[in-house]
Coordinates of all heavy atoms in Angstrom, one line a residue:
M1 N -8.1 12.0 0.1 CA -7.2 10.9 0.2 C -5.8 11.3 0.7 O -5.3 12.3 0.2 CB -7.0 10.3 -1.2 CG -8.1 9.5 -1.8 SD -8.0 7.8 -1.3 CE -9.5 7.2 -1.8
P2 N -5.3 10.6 1.6 CA -4.0 11.0 2.1 C -2.8 10.7 1.1 O -1.8 11.4 1.2 CB -3.8 10.1 3.3 CG -4.6 8.9 3.1 CD -5.8 9.4 2.2
F3 N -3.0 9.8 0.1 CA -2.0 9.5 -0.8 C -2.5 9.5 -2.2 O -3.7 9.3 -2.5 CB -1.4 8.1 -0.6 CG -0.9 7.9 0.8 CD1 -1.5 7.0 1.7 CD2 0.2 8.7 1.3 CE1 -1.0 6.9 3.0 CE2 0.7 8.5 2.6 CZ 0.1 7.6 3.4
R4 N -1.6 9.8 -3.2 CA -2.0 9.7 -4.6 C -1.1 8.7 -5.3 O 0.0 8.4 -4.9 CB -1.8 11.1 -5.3 CG -2.6 12.2 -4.7 CD -2.5 13.5 -5.4 NE -1.1 13.9 -5.6 CZ -0.6 15.1 -5.5 NH1 -1.4 16.1 -5.1 NH2 0.6 15.4 -5.7
I5 N -1.6 8.2 -6.5 CA -0.8 7.3 -7.3 C 0.6 8.0 -7.6 O 0.6 9.2 -8.0 CB -1.5 7.0 -8.6 CG1 -2.9 6.4 -8.4 CG2 -0.6 6.1 -9.5 CD1 -2.9 5.1 -7.6
G6 N 1.7 7.3 -7.4 CA 3.0 7.9 -7.7 C 3.7 8.5 -6.4 O 4.9 8.7 -6.5
D7 N 3.0 8.7 -5.3 CA 3.6 9.2 -4.1 C 4.6 8.1 -3.6 O 4.4 6.9 -3.7 CB 2.6 9.4 -3.0 CG 1.8 10.7 -3.2 OD1 2.1 11.5 -4.1 OD2 0.8 10.8 -2.4
R8 N 5.7 8.6 -3.1 CA 6.7 7.7 -2.4 C 6.3 7.6 -0.9 O 6.1 8.6 -0.3 CB 8.1 8.1 -2.5 CG 9.1 7.2 -1.8 CD 10.5 7.4 -2.3 NE 10.7 6.9 -3.7 CZ 10.8 5.6 -4.0 NH1 10.8 4.6 -3.1 NH2 11.0 5.2 -5.2
V9 N 6.1 6.4 -0.4 CA 5.7 6.2 1.0 C 6.5 5.1 1.7 O 7.3 4.4 1.0 CB 4.2 5.7 1.0 CG1 3.3 6.8 0.5 CG2 4.0 4.4 0.3
R10 N 6.4 5.1 3.0 CA 7.1 4.0 3.7 C 6.1 3.6 4.8 O 5.3 4.4 5.3 CB 8.4 4.4 4.2 CG 8.4 5.3 5.4 CD 9.8 5.6 5.9 NE 10.0 7.0 6.2 CZ 10.9 7.8 5.7 NH1 11.8 7.3 4.8 NH2 10.9 9.0 6.0
G11 N 6.3 2.3 5.3 CA 5.5 1.8 6.4 C 5.8 0.4 6.7 O 6.9 -0.1 6.3
L12 N 4.8 -0.3 7.3 CA 4.9 -1.7 7.6 C 3.9 -2.4 6.7 O 2.8 -2.0 6.6 CB 4.6 -2.0 9.1 CG 5.8 -1.8 10.0 CD1 5.3 -2.1 11.5 CD2 7.0 -2.7 9.7
S13 N 4.3 -3.5 6.1 CA 3.4 -4.3 5.3 C 2.3 -4.9 6.2 O 2.5 -5.1 7.4 CB 4.1 -5.4 4.6 OG 4.7 -6.3 5.5
Y14 N 1.1 -5.0 5.6 CA 0.0 -5.5 6.4 C -0.1 -7.1 6.2 O 0.1 -7.6 5.1 CB -1.3 -5.0 5.9 CG -2.5 -5.6 6.5 CD1 -2.9 -5.2 7.8 CD2 -3.3 -6.5 5.9 CE1 -4.0 -5.8 8.4 CE2 -4.4 -7.1 6.5 CZ -4.7 -6.8 7.7 OH -5.8 -7.3 8.3
V15 N -0.2 -7.7 7.4 CA -0.4 -9.2 7.4 C -1.7 -9.4 8.1 O -1.9 -9.0 9.3 CB 0.8 -9.9 8.1 CG1 0.5 -11.4 8.1 CG2 2.1 -9.6 7.3
H16 N -2.6 -10.1 7.5 CA -3.9 -10.5 8.1 C -3.6 -11.3 9.4 O -2.7 -12.1 9.4 CB -4.7 -11.3 7.1 CG -6.1 -11.5 7.6 ND1 -6.5 -12.4 8.5 CD2 -7.3 -10.8 7.3 CE1 -7.8 -12.3 8.8 NE2 -8.3 -11.3 8.0
P17 N -4.3 -11.0 10.5 CA -4.1 -11.7 11.7 C -4.0 -13.2 11.6 O -3.2 -13.8 12.3 CB -5.3 -11.2 12.6 CG -5.6 -9.9 12.1 CD -5.4 -10.0 10.6
E18 N -4.8 -13.8 10.7 CA -4.8 -15.2 10.6 C -3.5 -15.7 10.0 O -3.1 -16.9 10.1 CB -5.9 -15.7 9.7 CG -7.3 -15.5 10.4 CD -8.4 -15.8 9.5 OE1 -8.2 -16.3 8.4 OE2 -9.6 -15.7 10.0
R19 N -2.7 -14.9 9.3 CA -1.4 -15.3 8.7 C -0.2 -15.0 9.5 O 0.9 -15.3 9.1 CB -1.3 -14.6 7.3 CG -2.4 -15.0 6.4 CD -2.1 -14.8 4.9 NE -0.9 -15.3 4.5 CZ -0.6 -16.5 4.1 NH1 -1.6 -17.4 4.1 NH2 0.6 -16.9 3.7
L20 N -0.4 -14.3 10.7 CA 0.8 -14.0 11.5 C 1.6 -15.2 12.0 O 2.7 -15.0 12.4 CB 0.3 -13.1 12.7 CG -0.1 -11.7 12.4 CD1 -0.8 -11.0 13.6 CD2 1.1 -10.9 11.9
R21 N 1.0 -16.3 12.0 CA 1.7 -17.5 12.3 C 2.8 -17.8 11.3 O 3.9 -18.4 11.6 CB 0.7 -18.7 12.4 CG 1.3 -20.0 12.8 CD 0.3 -21.0 12.9 NE 0.9 -22.3 13.2 CZ 0.2 -23.4 13.4 NH1 -1.1 -23.4 13.3 NH2 0.8 -24.5 13.7
W22 N 2.6 -17.4 10.0 CA 3.6 -17.7 8.9 C 4.3 -16.5 8.4 O 5.4 -16.6 7.9 CB 2.9 -18.3 7.8 CG 2.2 -19.6 8.2 CD1 2.7 -20.8 8.4 CD2 0.8 -19.7 8.4 NE1 1.8 -21.7 8.7 CE2 0.6 -21.1 8.8 CE3 -0.3 -18.9 8.4 CZ2 -0.7 -21.6 9.1 CZ3 -1.5 -19.4 8.7 CH2 -1.7 -20.7 9.1
E23 N 3.7 -15.3 8.6 CA 4.3 -14.1 8.1 C 4.4 -13.0 9.1 O 3.6 -13.0 10.1 CB 3.4 -13.5 7.0 CG 3.3 -14.4 5.7 CD 2.3 -13.7 4.7 OE1 2.6 -12.5 4.4 OE2 1.4 -14.3 4.3
R24 N 5.3 -12.1 9.0 CA 5.5 -11.0 9.8 C 5.4 -9.7 9.0 O 5.9 -9.7 7.9 CB 6.8 -11.0 10.6 CG 6.8 -12.2 11.6 CD 6.0 -11.8 12.8 NE 6.0 -12.9 13.8 CZ 4.9 -13.4 14.2 NH1 3.7 -12.9 13.9 NH2 4.9 -14.4 15.1
P25 N 4.9 -8.6 9.6 CA 5.0 -7.3 8.9 C 6.4 -6.9 8.7 O 7.3 -7.2 9.5 CB 4.3 -6.3 9.9 CG 3.4 -7.2 10.7 CD 4.2 -8.5 10.8
E26 N 6.7 -6.3 7.5 CA 8.0 -5.9 7.2 C 8.1 -4.4 6.8 O 7.1 -4.0 6.1 CB 8.6 -6.7 6.0 CG 8.7 -8.2 6.2 CD 9.2 -8.9 5.0 OE1 9.2 -8.3 3.9 OE2 9.5 -10.1 5.1
P27 N 9.1 -3.7 7.2 CA 9.2 -2.3 6.8 C 9.4 -2.3 5.3 O 10.1 -3.2 4.7 CB 10.4 -1.8 7.6 CG 11.1 -2.9 8.1 CD 10.2 -4.1 8.1
F28 N 8.9 -1.2 4.6 CA 9.1 -1.1 3.2 C 9.1 0.4 2.8 O 8.7 1.2 3.6 CB 8.0 -1.8 2.4 CG 6.7 -1.1 2.5 CD1 6.3 -0.1 1.5 CD2 5.8 -1.4 3.5 CE1 5.1 0.6 1.6 CE2 4.6 -0.7 3.6 CZ 4.3 0.3 2.7
E29 N 9.6 0.7 1.6 CA 9.5 2.0 1.0 C 9.2 1.8 -0.5 O 9.9 0.9 -1.1 CB 10.7 2.8 1.2 CG 10.5 4.2 0.6 CD 11.7 5.2 1.0 OE1 12.1 5.1 2.1 OE2 12.0 6.0 0.1
G30 N 8.2 2.4 -1.0 CA 7.9 2.2 -2.4 C 7.0 3.3 -2.9 O 6.7 4.3 -2.3
V31 N 6.5 3.1 -4.1 CA 5.7 4.1 -4.9 C 4.2 3.6 -4.9 O 4.0 2.4 -5.2 CB 6.2 4.3 -6.3 CG1 5.3 5.2 -7.1 CG2 7.6 4.8 -6.2
V32 N 3.3 4.5 -4.5 CA 1.9 4.1 -4.5 C 1.3 3.7 -5.8 O 1.5 4.5 -6.8 CB 1.0 5.2 -3.9 CG1 -0.5 4.9 -3.9 CG2 1.4 5.5 -2.4
V33 N 0.7 2.5 -5.9 CA 0.1 2.1 -7.2 C -1.5 1.9 -7.1 O -2.2 1.9 -8.0 CB 0.7 0.8 -7.8 CG1 2.1 1.0 -8.2 CG2 0.6 -0.3 -6.8
Q34 N -1.9 1.9 -5.8 CA -3.4 1.8 -5.6 C -3.7 2.3 -4.2 O -3.0 2.0 -3.3 CB -3.9 0.4 -5.7 CG -5.4 0.2 -5.4 CD -5.9 -1.2 -5.6 OE1 -5.5 -1.9 -6.4 NE2 -6.8 -1.6 -4.7
V35 N -4.8 3.2 -4.1 CA -5.2 3.7 -2.8 C -6.6 3.2 -2.6 O -7.5 3.3 -3.4 CB -5.1 5.2 -2.8 CG1 -5.6 5.8 -1.5 CG2 -3.7 5.7 -3.1
G36 N -6.8 2.7 -1.4 CA -8.1 2.2 -1.0 C -8.3 0.7 -1.2 O -7.5 0.1 -1.9
S37 N -9.3 0.2 -0.6 CA -9.5 -1.2 -0.7 C -10.1 -1.7 -2.0 O -9.9 -2.9 -2.3 CB -10.4 -1.7 0.5 OG -11.7 -1.1 0.2
G38 N -10.8 -0.8 -2.7 CA -11.5 -1.3 -3.8 C -12.9 -1.7 -3.5 O -13.7 -2.1 -4.4
W39 N -13.3 -1.7 -2.2 CA -14.6 -2.1 -1.8 C -15.3 -0.9 -1.2 O -14.8 -0.2 -0.3 CB -14.6 -3.2 -0.8 CG -14.0 -4.5 -1.4 CD1 -14.6 -5.4 -2.2 CD2 -12.7 -5.0 -1.2 NE1 -13.8 -6.4 -2.5 CE2 -12.6 -6.2 -1.9 CE3 -11.6 -4.6 -0.5 CZ2 -11.4 -7.0 -2.0 CZ3 -10.4 -5.3 -0.5 CH2 -10.4 -6.5 -1.3
A40 N -16.5 -0.6 -1.6 CA -17.3 0.5 -1.0 C -17.6 0.2 0.4 O -17.8 -0.9 0.8 CB -18.6 0.6 -1.8
G41 N -17.6 1.3 1.2 CA -18.0 1.2 2.6 C -16.9 0.8 3.6 O -17.2 0.6 4.8
V42 N -15.7 0.7 3.1 CA -14.6 0.3 4.1 C -14.2 1.6 4.8 O -13.9 2.6 4.2 CB -13.4 -0.3 3.3 CG1 -12.2 -0.5 4.3 CG2 -13.8 -1.6 2.7
D43 N -14.1 1.5 6.1 CA -13.7 2.6 6.9 C -12.2 2.9 6.7 O -11.4 2.1 6.4 CB -13.9 2.3 8.4 CG -15.3 2.1 8.8 OD1 -16.2 2.7 8.2 OD2 -15.6 1.3 9.7
A44 N -11.9 4.2 6.8 CA -10.5 4.7 6.6 C -9.5 4.0 7.5 O -8.4 3.8 7.0 CB -10.5 6.2 6.8
D45 N -9.9 3.6 8.7 CA -8.9 3.0 9.5 C -8.6 1.5 9.1 O -7.7 0.9 9.6 CB -9.3 3.0 11.0 CG -10.6 2.2 11.3 OD1 -11.4 2.0 10.3 OD2 -10.8 1.8 12.4
Q46 N -9.4 1.0 8.1 CA -9.1 -0.3 7.6 C -8.8 -0.2 6.1 O -8.8 -1.3 5.4 CB -10.3 -1.2 7.9 CG -10.5 -1.5 9.3 CD -11.6 -2.5 9.6 OE1 -12.1 -3.1 8.7 NE2 -12.1 -2.5 10.8
A47 N -8.6 1.0 5.5 CA -8.4 1.1 4.1 C -6.9 0.8 3.9 O -6.0 1.0 4.7 CB -8.7 2.5 3.6
Y48 N -6.6 0.3 2.6 CA -5.3 -0.1 2.3 C -4.6 0.8 1.2 O -5.3 1.5 0.5 CB -5.3 -1.5 1.7 CG -5.9 -2.5 2.7 CD1 -7.1 -3.1 2.4 CD2 -5.2 -2.9 3.8 CE1 -7.7 -4.1 3.2 CE2 -5.8 -3.8 4.7 CZ -7.0 -4.4 4.4 OH -7.6 -5.3 5.2
V49 N -3.3 0.7 1.2 CA -2.6 1.3 0.1 C -1.6 0.3 -0.4 O -1.0 -0.5 0.4 CB -1.8 2.6 0.5 CG1 -0.9 2.4 1.7 CG2 -1.1 3.3 -0.6
W50 N -1.5 0.1 -1.8 CA -0.5 -0.8 -2.3 C 0.6 0.0 -2.9 O 0.4 1.0 -3.6 CB -1.2 -1.6 -3.5 CG -2.0 -2.8 -3.0 CD1 -1.6 -4.1 -2.9 CD2 -3.3 -2.8 -2.6 NE1 -2.6 -4.9 -2.4 CE2 -3.7 -4.1 -2.2 CE3 -4.3 -1.8 -2.4 CZ2 -5.0 -4.4 -1.7 CZ3 -5.6 -2.1 -2.0 CH2 -5.9 -3.4 -1.6
S51 N 1.8 -0.5 -2.6 CA 3.0 0.2 -3.0 C 3.9 -0.7 -3.8 O 4.1 -1.9 -3.4 CB 3.8 0.7 -1.8 OG 3.0 1.6 -1.1
R52 N 4.6 -0.2 -4.9 CA 5.5 -1.0 -5.7 C 6.9 -0.7 -5.2 O 7.3 0.5 -5.1 CB 5.4 -0.7 -7.2 CG 6.4 -1.6 -8.0 CD 6.1 -1.5 -9.5 NE 4.8 -2.0 -9.8 CZ 3.9 -1.3 -10.5 NH1 4.1 -0.1 -11.0 NH2 2.7 -1.8 -10.7
L53 N 7.7 -1.7 -4.9 CA 9.0 -1.6 -4.4 C 10.0 -1.6 -5.5 O 9.7 -1.9 -6.7 CB 9.4 -2.7 -3.4 CG 8.8 -2.6 -2.0 CD1 7.3 -2.3 -1.9 CD2 9.1 -3.9 -1.2
E54 N 11.3 -1.3 -5.2 CA 12.3 -1.2 -6.2 C 12.5 -2.5 -7.0 O 12.8 -2.6 -8.1 CB 13.7 -0.9 -5.6 CG 13.8 0.6 -5.1 CD 13.8 1.6 -6.3 OE1 14.4 1.3 -7.3 OE2 13.2 2.6 -6.1
D55 N 12.2 -3.7 -6.3 CA 12.3 -5.0 -6.9 C 11.1 -5.4 -7.7 O 11.0 -6.5 -8.2 CB 12.7 -6.1 -5.9 CG 11.6 -6.3 -4.9 OD1 10.5 -5.7 -5.0 OD2 11.8 -7.2 -4.0
H56 N 10.1 -4.4 -7.9 CA 8.9 -4.6 -8.7 C 7.9 -5.5 -8.0 O 6.9 -5.8 -8.6 CB 9.2 -5.1 -10.1 CG 10.1 -4.2 -10.8 ND1 9.7 -3.0 -11.3 CD2 11.4 -4.3 -11.1 CE1 10.7 -2.4 -11.9 NE2 11.8 -3.1 -11.8
T57 N 8.1 -5.9 -6.7 CA 7.0 -6.5 -6.0 C 6.2 -5.4 -5.3 O 6.5 -4.3 -5.3 CB 7.6 -7.5 -4.9 OG1 8.4 -6.7 -4.0 CG2 8.5 -8.5 -5.5
E58 N 5.0 -5.8 -4.8 CA 4.1 -4.9 -4.2 C 3.9 -5.3 -2.7 O 3.9 -6.5 -2.4 CB 2.8 -4.8 -4.9 CG 3.0 -4.2 -6.3 CD 1.7 -4.1 -7.1 OE1 0.6 -4.3 -6.5 OE2 1.7 -3.7 -8.3
R59 N 3.6 -4.3 -1.9 CA 3.2 -4.5 -0.5 C 1.9 -3.8 -0.3 O 1.7 -2.7 -0.7 CB 4.3 -3.9 0.4 CG 5.6 -4.6 0.4 CD 5.6 -6.0 0.8 NE 6.9 -6.6 0.7 CZ 7.5 -7.1 -0.3 NH1 6.8 -7.1 -1.5 NH2 8.7 -7.7 -0.3
K60 N 1.1 -4.4 0.5 CA -0.2 -3.8 1.0 C 0.1 -3.3 2.4 O 0.7 -4.0 3.2 CB -1.3 -4.9 1.0 CG -2.6 -4.4 1.5 CD -3.7 -5.4 1.3 CE -3.7 -6.5 2.2 NZ -4.9 -7.4 2.2
S61 N -0.4 -2.2 2.7 CA -0.3 -1.6 4.1 C -1.6 -0.9 4.4 O -2.4 -0.5 3.6 CB 0.9 -0.7 4.2 OG 0.8 0.4 3.3
L62 N -1.8 -0.8 5.7 CA -3.0 0.1 6.2 C -2.6 1.5 5.9 O -1.5 2.0 6.2 CB -3.2 -0.2 7.6 CG -3.8 -1.5 8.0 CD1 -3.8 -1.7 9.5 CD2 -5.2 -1.7 7.5
I63 N -3.6 2.3 5.4 CA -3.3 3.7 5.2 C -2.8 4.4 6.5 O -1.9 5.2 6.5 CB -4.5 4.4 4.7 CG1 -4.7 4.1 3.2 CG2 -4.5 6.0 4.9 CD1 -5.9 4.7 2.5
T64 N -3.4 4.0 7.6 CA -3.1 4.6 8.9 C -1.6 4.2 9.4 O -1.1 4.8 10.3 CB -4.1 4.2 10.0 OG1 -4.1 2.7 10.1 CG2 -5.4 4.7 9.7
E65 N -1.0 3.2 8.8 CA 0.3 2.7 9.2 C 1.3 3.1 8.1 O 2.4 2.5 8.1 CB 0.3 1.2 9.4 CG -0.6 0.7 10.5 CD -0.1 1.1 11.8 OE1 1.1 1.1 12.0 OE2 -1.0 1.4 12.7
T66 N 1.0 4.0 7.2 CA 1.8 4.4 6.1 C 2.1 5.9 6.1 O 1.1 6.6 6.4 CB 1.2 4.0 4.8 OG1 0.8 2.6 4.8 CG2 2.1 4.2 3.6
E67 N 3.3 6.3 5.8 CA 3.6 7.7 5.8 C 4.2 8.2 4.5 O 4.9 7.4 3.8 CB 4.5 8.1 6.9 CG 5.9 7.5 6.8 CD 6.8 7.9 8.0 OE1 6.5 8.7 8.8 OE2 7.9 7.3 8.1
L68 N 3.9 9.4 4.2 CA 4.4 10.0 2.9 C 5.8 10.3 3.1 O 6.3 10.9 4.1 CB 3.6 11.3 2.6 CG 3.9 12.1 1.4 CD1 3.6 11.3 0.1 CD2 3.2 13.4 1.4
V69 N 6.6 10.0 2.1 CA 8.0 10.3 2.0 C 8.2 11.5 1.0 O 8.9 12.5 1.3 CB 8.9 9.1 1.5 CG1 10.3 9.5 1.3 CG2 8.8 8.0 2.5
Q70 N 7.6 11.4 -0.2 CA 7.7 12.4 -1.2 C 6.4 12.4 -2.1 O 6.0 11.3 -2.5 CB 8.9 12.2 -2.0 CG 9.1 13.3 -3.1 CD 10.4 13.1 -3.9 OE1 11.1 12.2 -3.7 NE2 10.6 14.0 -4.8
R71 N 5.8 13.5 -2.2 CA 4.6 13.7 -3.0 C 5.0 13.5 -4.5 O 6.0 14.0 -4.9 CB 4.0 15.1 -2.8 CG 2.7 15.3 -3.5 CD 1.5 14.5 -3.1 NE 1.0 14.9 -1.7 CZ 0.2 14.1 -1.1 NH1 -0.3 13.0 -1.6 NH2 -0.2 14.4 0.1
A72 N 4.1 12.8 -5.3 CA 4.4 12.6 -6.7 C 4.3 14.0 -7.4 O 3.5 14.9 -7.0 CB 3.4 11.7 -7.3
E73 N 5.0 14.1 -8.5 CA 4.9 15.3 -9.3 C 3.5 15.3 -9.9 O 3.0 14.2 -10.3 CB 5.9 15.4 -10.4 CG 7.3 15.5 -9.9 CD 8.3 15.6 -10.9 OE1 8.0 16.0 -12.1 OE2 9.5 15.3 -10.7
E74 N 2.9 16.4 -10.1 CA 1.5 16.5 -10.7 C 1.5 15.9 -12.1 O 2.3 16.2 -12.9 CB 1.1 18.0 -10.8 CG -0.4 18.2 -11.0 CD -1.2 17.7 -9.8 OE1 -0.8 17.9 -8.7 OE2 -2.3 17.2 -10.1
G75 N 0.5 14.9 -12.2 CA 0.4 14.3 -13.5 C 1.3 13.1 -13.7 O 1.2 12.4 -14.7
A76 N 2.3 12.8 -12.8 CA 3.2 11.7 -13.0 C 2.7 10.6 -12.1 O 2.1 10.7 -11.1 CB 4.6 12.1 -12.5
H77 N 2.9 9.3 -12.6 CA 2.6 8.1 -11.8 C 3.5 7.0 -12.2 O 4.2 7.1 -13.3 CB 1.2 7.8 -11.9 CG 0.7 7.4 -13.3 ND1 0.9 6.1 -13.8 CD2 0.2 8.1 -14.3 CE1 0.5 6.1 -15.0 NE2 0.0 7.3 -15.4
D78 N 3.6 6.0 -11.4 CA 4.5 4.8 -11.7 C 3.6 3.7 -12.2 O 3.0 3.0 -11.4 CB 5.3 4.5 -10.4 CG 6.2 3.3 -10.7 OD1 6.9 3.3 -11.7 OD2 6.3 2.4 -9.9
G79 N 3.5 3.5 -13.5 CA 2.7 2.4 -14.0 C 1.2 2.8 -14.1 O 0.8 3.9 -13.9
P80 N 0.4 1.8 -14.5 CA -1.0 2.1 -14.7 C -1.8 2.4 -13.5 O -1.4 1.9 -12.4 CB -1.5 0.8 -15.4 CG -0.6 -0.3 -14.9 CD 0.8 0.4 -14.7
H81 N -2.8 3.2 -13.6 CA -3.7 3.4 -12.5 C -4.5 2.2 -12.2 O -5.0 1.5 -13.1 CB -4.7 4.6 -12.8 CG -4.0 5.9 -12.9 ND1 -3.8 6.7 -11.8 CD2 -3.5 6.6 -13.9 CE1 -3.2 7.8 -12.1 NE2 -3.0 7.8 -13.4
R82 N -4.7 1.9 -10.9 CA -5.5 0.7 -10.5 C -6.4 1.2 -9.4 O -6.0 1.1 -8.2 CB -4.6 -0.4 -10.1 CG -3.7 -0.8 -11.2 CD -3.0 -2.1 -11.0 NE -2.3 -2.1 -9.7 CZ -1.7 -3.1 -9.2 NH1 -1.8 -4.3 -9.7 NH2 -1.0 -3.0 -8.1
H83 N -7.6 1.5 -9.8 CA -8.5 2.0 -8.8 C -9.5 0.9 -8.3 O -10.2 1.1 -7.3 CB -9.3 3.2 -9.3 CG -8.5 4.4 -9.6 ND1 -7.9 5.2 -8.7 CD2 -8.0 4.8 -10.8 CE1 -7.2 6.1 -9.2 NE2 -7.2 5.9 -10.6
Q84 N -9.6 -0.2 -9.0 CA -10.5 -1.2 -8.7 C -9.9 -2.2 -7.8 O -8.7 -2.3 -7.7 CB -11.0 -1.9 -10.0 CG -11.7 -1.0 -10.9 CD -13.0 -0.3 -10.3 OE1 -13.7 -1.0 -9.6 NE2 -13.1 0.9 -10.5
G85 N -10.7 -3.0 -7.1 CA -10.2 -4.0 -6.2 C -9.4 -5.1 -7.0 O -9.4 -5.2 -8.2
R86 N -8.6 -5.8 -6.3 CA -7.8 -6.8 -6.8 C -8.5 -8.1 -7.2 O -9.3 -8.5 -6.6 CB -6.6 -7.1 -5.9 CG -5.8 -5.9 -5.7 CD -4.7 -6.2 -4.7 NE -3.7 -5.2 -5.1 CZ -2.6 -5.5 -5.7 NH1 -2.3 -6.6 -6.1 NH2 -1.7 -4.5 -6.0

């Protein structure tokens, strides 16, 4: 996995193509709270990472469109682990 729970990351939020008429991807920086889609068999180029922002909202981004800012300290995380799908 390229990211772990608690890592600080930045990237562009993911907006499903059907929603681009109403929403636009936005740059963000936050702490990883979930890695992966939660669904078996999803390819890595379509896998997601969810990040919690300073305002306590969350953003979904493609793993391939997200970069590590700072690795989490070993054993530390921000909030509960969420490994299952939403």
Side-chain angles (χ1 to χ4, degrees):
M1 286 273 171
F3 304 114
R4 298 187 308 224
I5 304 299
D7 286 350
R8 179 161 289 282
V9 295
R10 74 173 138 239
L12 278 178
S13 60
Y14 174 77
V15 177
H16 190 279
E18 293 175 3
R19 298 199 50 85
L20 287 172
R21 182 174 176 181
W22 302 282
E23 295 180 53
R24 291 284 175 234
E26 298 178 348
F28 73 89
E29 184 169 321
V31 176
V32 174
V33 294
Q34 179 178 322
V35 178
S37 67
W39 295 284
V42 174
D43 295 330
D45 63 338
Q46 294 183 13
Y48 303 110
V49 57
W50 278 264
S51 302
R52 182 170 297 129
L53 283 50
E54 290 292 323
D55 66 2
H56 302 284
T57 60
E58 293 182 7
R59 296 295 181 276
K60 176 171 77 169
S61 59
L62 291 170
I63 285 178
T64 57
E65 298 291 324
T66 306
E67 65 180 350
L68 181 66
V69 173
Q70 182 177 1
R71 183 68 69 191
E73 292 182 26
E74 195 66 36
H77 63 84
D78 183 44
H81 289 276
R82 298 194 304 173
H83 298 285
Q84 299 301 316
R86 297 181 154 255

